[in-house]
């Protein structure tokens, strides 16, 4: 029971000129602001932002947007009506990534259950270092990790942690692999190590090179393995590079294999890579941040055949599975507390061993972070709502939609596939009528995609990414994820690109 209010008004208590009696936050005013803000969020950031009839974006240049937003921070605060207008402006001029015609990145769409999960965790504002401050969210994270480990196929179990992004998961992999091979590095540092060499394909995510730089391995010690014309690592070339490192007197310690490359959506041959790792005692990490979603599908999980042989896996449910940014799992096939041994600092103010509950639930010390958001909860809530079957149906539909788009591209004049899609990355060129009779060669088309992209952004009709790749001139990379996307949207995409670029 709270203490009874004393009779009469207590005299103010002053400390350093600050009055300490009572709270300074006006609860009624705060409640009024929240009640006014939530309808704006629901109407503008949820309903209208996911309506195919609305714009994907309302483009403004940086200088224009600075003026519109009035970014200067001043001594005094603003009244609530002005702050509510700030909220409206922030939503209005943001890209609507939940819109059915947002195809620009490897995430898209809006799942209502995940969104509610995010509302809850933002309102409660926990940090996942100890059970005492985040009991619900630590347990849901553990449940999600164990189910993902089961789906990967590690029959003897494993361990894991949710990280702030797939790039950080890949850095975890490099750090854990190095510790596994050279445990003295934690105490003695780099000076006690031989020259270490790691391997990855030319199609890998750039975070692999960043991890080597960040952890002191050095980017020159990342040996890049050639990929075939579909973007898959060539195993024979991988083994040649392992032997090269040994001949140089270096210590090869890990390989990063990619399951779902960023541009082409390619899957490295994991079984063959695993065979080489076993022969040479290498840690095998699989970056399945993008392609991991295919594991949910009985029809398509063959794309990751052999992933159960990996020592570690990075998998981002916020991508294909639509769990909402950010939601990134890093998992290891290990039951010896490797993550804990590698990262533990045993902070006595957090991880006391004489607590009144089972301290094995205080999992924060196996993370490189202290404060950590409960990123697994929204995925858990969504998974509970639609089930494993619902997640599988999303994956199957996205791949079927990619196949439909690829077939439509083949039928249309002026459109040409870069290659047949293996996943939901559909890569293609658009060739305007004026260029179709020129000598065949993408060098003539390189300026088309940037201009079409500019026009679609300024119109706000949709967003599709483009890039050059190797010797290939700029092409569009269409990513299909959201179950909100329809066949009609695919037709509109091609019609719109033609409409925006036909005069070039």
């Amino acid at each position: 029971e709270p203490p009874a209010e004393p009779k009469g008004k207590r005299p103010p208590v002053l400390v350093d000129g600050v009055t300490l009696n009572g709270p300074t936050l006006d609860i009624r005013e705060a409640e009024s602001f929240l009640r006014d803000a939530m309808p704006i969020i629901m109407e503008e950031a949820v309903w209208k932002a996911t309506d195919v009839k609305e714009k994907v974006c309302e483009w403004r240049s940086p200088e224009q947007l600075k003026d519109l937003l009035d970014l200067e921070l001043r001594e005094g605060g603003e009244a609530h009506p002005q702050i509510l207008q700030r909220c409206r402006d922030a939503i209005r001029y943001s890209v609507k990534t939940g819109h059915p015609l947002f195809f620009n990145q490897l995430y898209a769409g809006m799942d209502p259950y995940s969104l509610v999960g995010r509302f809850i965790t933002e309102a409660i504002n926990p940090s996942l270092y100890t059970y005492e401050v985040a009991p619900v969210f630590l347990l849901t994270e553990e449940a999600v990790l164990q189910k993902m480990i089961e789906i990967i196929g590690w029959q003897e179990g494993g361990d894991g942690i949710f990280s702030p992004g797939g790039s950080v998961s890949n850095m975890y992999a490099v750090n854990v692999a190095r510790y596994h091979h050279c445990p003295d590095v934690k105490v003695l540092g780099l000076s006690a190590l031989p020259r270490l060499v790691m391997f990855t394909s030319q199609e890998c995510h750039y975070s692999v090179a960043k991890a080597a730089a960040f952890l002191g391995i050095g980017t020159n010690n990342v040996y890049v393995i050639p990929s075939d014309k579909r973007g898959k690592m060539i195993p024979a070339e991988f083994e040649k590079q392992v032997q090269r490192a040994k001949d140089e007197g270096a210590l090869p310690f890990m390989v990063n294999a990619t399951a779902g490359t960023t541009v082409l959506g390619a899957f490295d041959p994991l079984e063959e890579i695993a065979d080489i790792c076993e022969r040479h005692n290498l840690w095998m990490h699989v970056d399945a941040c993008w392609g991991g979603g295919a594991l949910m599908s009985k029809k398509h999980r063959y794309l990751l055949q052999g992933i159960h042989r990996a020592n570690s896996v990075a998998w981002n449910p916020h991508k294909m599975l639509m769990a909402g940014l950010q939601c990134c799992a890093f998992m290891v096939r290990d039951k010896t507390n490797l993550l804990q041994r590698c990262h533990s600092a045993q902070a006595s103010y957090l991880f006391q061993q004489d607590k009144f509950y089972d301290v094995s639930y205080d999992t924060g010390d196996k993370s490189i972070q202290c404060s950590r958001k409960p990123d697994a909860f929204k995925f858990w809530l969504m998974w509970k709502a639609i089930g494993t079957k619902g997640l599988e149906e999303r994956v199957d539909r996205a791949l079927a939609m990619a196949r439909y788009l690829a077939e439509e591209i083949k039928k249309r004049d002026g459109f040409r596939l870069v290659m047949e899609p293996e996943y939901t990355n559909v890569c293609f060129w658009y060739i305007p009528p004026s260029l179709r009779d020129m000598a065949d060669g993408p060098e003539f088309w390189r300026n088309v995609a940037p201009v079409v992209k500019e026009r679609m952004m300024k119109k706000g009709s949709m967003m599709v990414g483009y890039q050059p790749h190797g010797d290939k001139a700029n092409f569009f990379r269409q990513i299909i994820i959201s179950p909100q996307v329809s066949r009609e949207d695919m037709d509109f995409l091609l019609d719109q690109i033609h409409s925006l670029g036909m005069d070039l």
Side-chain angles (χ1 to χ4, degrees):
E1 293 291 328
E5 288 291 329
K7 294 180 179 180
K9 190 173 182 181
R10 299 177 65 185
V13 175
L14 293 177
V15 176
D16 293 338
V18 178
T19 303
L20 301 183
N21 286 43
T24 58
L25 176 67
D26 186 331
I27 300 299
R28 290 187 179 87
E29 186 179 10
E31 181 179 339
S32 173
F33 175 72
L34 288 170
R35 290 187 183 279
D36 290 341
M38 288 306 295
I40 295 172
I41 294 171
M42 292 304 299
E43 179 65 24
E44 303 294 331
V46 178
W47 306 129
K48 290 174 74 172
T50 56
D51 185 345
V52 73
K53 297 185 292 296
E54 298 286 339
K55 289 185 175 183
V56 176
C57 62
E58 194 162 322
W59 172 259
R60 295 292 188 276
S61 72
E63 293 308 315
Q64 290 173 322
L65 197 53
K66 287 177 186 178
D67 291 339
L68 285 166
L69 296 179
D70 183 18
L71 297 171
E72 183 182 352
L73 299 171
R74 301 177 177 88
E75 285 293 319
E78 297 178 338
H80 281 181
Q82 183 62 49
I83 296 300
L84 292 171
Q85 186 57 45
R86 303 284 186 209
C87 296
R88 292 187 186 92
D89 290 342
I91 296 168
R92 177 180 177 182
Y93 297 112
S94 292
V95 173
K96 312 306 187 293
T97 64
H99 194 284
L101 299 177
F102 176 82
F103 307 116
N104 208 68
Q105 313 300 146
L106 299 184
Y107 68 93
M110 183 181 291
D111 177 86
Y113 308 106
S114 169
L115 183 61
V116 168
R118 283 179 275 170
F119 285 164
I120 291 170
T121 55
E122 289 302 312
I124 293 177
N125 196 35
S127 182
L128 265 65
Y129 23 66
T130 61
Y131 181 83
E132 65 184 280
V133 295
V136 170
F137 304 116
L138 276 169
L139 293 180
T140 49
E141 179 179 75
E142 180 66 19
V144 169
L145 285 167
Q146 290 309 310
K147 190 65 176 178
M148 293 175 78
I149 285 167
E150 176 188 321
I151 289 168
I152 288 170
W154 292 337
Q155 295 182 355
E156 296 181 1
D159 195 7
I161 198 87
F162 272 75
S163 78
S167 293
V168 176
S169 293
N170 288 337
M171 290 183 184
Y172 265 116
V174 177
N175 200 44
V176 170
R178 181 176 64 179
Y179 178 84
H180 173 73
H181 278 273
C182 306
D184 287 345
V185 67
K186 182 175 180 180
V187 176
L188 300 179
L190 297 176
S191 61
L193 299 186
R195 177 178 157 238
L196 299 176
V197 172
M198 54 189 287
F199 308 89
T200 193
S201 85
Q202 67 187 55
E203 299 289 331
C204 76
H205 192 262
Y206 62 83
S207 61
V208 177
K210 284 196 172 189
F214 184 76
L215 294 169
I217 290 167
T219 55
N220 284 350
N221 293 315
V222 180
Y223 285 13
V224 177
I225 314 302
S227 299
D228 63 20
K229 62 183 181 181
R230 290 201 56 83
K232 300 171 181 289
M233 182 190 293
I234 302 172
E237 295 297 324
F238 167 37
E239 192 152 28
K240 286 180 185 177
Q241 292 297 316
V242 174
Q243 191 57 53
R244 170 196 161 195
K246 289 182 175 181
D247 292 344
E248 293 170 347
L251 175 62
F253 76 105
M254 76 166 289
V255 64
N256 173 76
T258 308
T261 59
T262 304
V263 177
L264 301 178
F267 289 76
D268 286 341
L270 302 183
E271 291 280 18
E272 294 171 77
I273 292 170
D275 290 342
I276 296 169
C277 289
E278 289 179 3
R279 285 199 292 272
H280 296 276
N281 189 32
L282 300 180
W283 183 279
M284 179 180 170
H285 173 64
V286 177
D287 175 358
C289 290
W290 171 223
L295 289 170
M296 304 303 297
S297 167
K298 290 185 283 289
K299 186 183 299 182
H300 298 292
R301 66 172 290 129
Y302 74 90
L303 292 168
L304 297 99
Q305 181 65 37
I307 194 170
H308 65 287
R309 300 174 65 185
N311 298 100
S312 59
V313 172
W315 178 2
N316 292 2
H318 74 236
K319 294 186 173 178
M320 178 58 75
L321 300 181
M322 293 178 57
L325 284 165
Q326 59 196 12
C327 191
C328 311
F330 172 70
M331 295 159 286
V332 291
R333 181 165 53 94
D334 172 81
K335 297 292 287 183
T336 68
N337 290 321
L338 179 62
L339 282 172
Q340 181 87 10
R341 289 184 286 118
C342 182
H343 301 125
S344 171
Q346 300 175 341
S348 60
Y349 67 93
L350 280 176
F351 305 111
Q352 304 94 330
Q353 297 303 296
D354 55 358
K355 292 180 179 180
F356 64 93
Y357 59 86
D358 182 354
V359 295
S360 68
Y361 288 101
D362 289 354
T363 58
D365 214 15
K366 63 185 178 182
S367 167
I368 59 173
Q369 301 168 252
C370 180
S371 299
R372 193 164 62 88
K373 294 182 73 66
D375 293 329
F377 178 74
K378 58 196 170 211
F379 186 35
W380 175 84
L381 192 67
M382 180 181 75
W383 202 333
K384 292 288 281 188
I386 68 174
T388 303
K389 184 65 177 174
L391 295 174
E392 180 179 23
E393 288 171 354
R394 286 184 178 179
V395 175
D396 288 347
R397 188 176 189 277
L399 271 88
M401 194 69 74
R403 173 48 52 198
Y404 171 82
L405 179 61
E407 293 303 317
E408 287 300 303
I409 287 171
K410 294 176 190 176
K411 297 175 185 177
R412 296 202 181 203
D413 291 339
F415 287 86
R416 184 177 301 185
L417 282 175
V418 174
M419 63 179 61
E420 290 287 339
E422 185 172 26
Y423 200 38
T424 68
N425 308 48
V426 184
C427 300
F428 62 93
W429 288 286
Y430 170 68
I431 309 156
S434 66
L435 300 179
R436 292 174 195 172
D437 295 330
M438 298 179 69
D440 193 34
E443 65 272 11
F444 297 115
W445 316 330
R446 66 182 181 274
N447 296 323
V448 174
V451 175
V452 172
K453 177 65 177 284
E454 177 185 356
R455 291 176 176 181
M456 75 171 68
M457 290 284 291
K458 290 181 176 178
K459 185 177 180 181
S461 57
M462 61 185 187
M463 283 184 65
V464 182
Y466 76 88
Q467 64 285 300
H469 190 71
D471 61 352
K472 296 179 175 64
N474 282 322
F475 56 83
F476 291 105
R477 182 200 65 168
Q478 164 73 354
I479 300 295
I480 302 166
I481 296 173
S482 174
Q484 295 167 274
V485 176
S486 67
R487 176 188 62 77
E488 291 80 4
D489 294 328
M490 297 296 96
D491 296 338
F492 174 81
L493 165 79
L494 299 180
D495 292 342
Q496 185 73 178
I497 288 176
H498 176 63
S499 174
L500 293 170
M502 63 187 298
D503 64 325
L504 297 176

